[in-house]
Amino acid sequence: PLHVLSTFPHMHQIGSSFRAEVTTGTTTRTLVDVARWNFDDQKSYPADPTTMLIKPGDNVRTRCTYDNDSNATVRYGGASEAEMCFNFVTAYPVPDRRLRTCVR
């Protein structure tokens, strides 16, 4: 299992809320919940590594909500005028490199 030390949600300027959950079987636990996203106040949120575990077979779901109150089309990208949805998680132990996967 991975023991979660912290989580660092990241979106840009039209982000309005951010939530990440870990589901084990039928039980869902909140990893982080930022009800009112503030682009100018992004921070890391600590987790208790003795209780916040991500076990093999668990599902980690991150949900970003946006509020585009303009007529402009906002696309994915690294610029602050673009948008993204990332959740950087600090956890131990580091799994074998061959087991790492990225899901889009």
Side-chain angles (χ1 to χ4, degrees):
L2 295 175
H3 300 261
V4 178
L5 297 168
S6 66
T7 180
F8 185 88
H10 181 72
M11 294 189 295
H12 287 163
Q13 297 182 32
I14 65 168
S16 60
S17 66
F18 186 104
R19 183 175 179 86
E21 301 170 328
V22 178
T23 301
T24 305
T26 59
T27 303
T28 299
R29 295 165 289 137
T30 301
L31 183 57
V32 63
D33 186 9
V34 183
R36 292 182 180 239
W37 179 258
N38 182 344
F39 177 73
D40 296 317
D41 187 30
Q42 297 184 52
K43 56 190 167 197
S44 178
Y45 295 85
D48 181 351
T50 62
T51 60
M52 184 51 74
L53 303 175
I54 301 173
K55 300 173 187 169
D58 284 359
N59 182 26
V60 180
R61 179 179 177 166
T62 298
R63 184 179 334 157
C64 295
T65 306
Y66 305 94
D67 183 13
N68 183 0
D69 59 2
S70 74
N71 290 327
T73 299
V74 179
R75 301 199 186 281
Y76 173 84
S80 292
E81 298 77 30
E83 212 31 270
M84 58 178 50
C85 176
F86 289 130
N87 188 21
F88 301 99
V89 176
T90 304
Y92 70 90
V94 176
D96 185 320
R97 186 178 155 134
R98 295 169 293 172
L99 300 176
R100 295 181 191 170
T101 60
C102 180
V103 178
R104 289 185 185 212

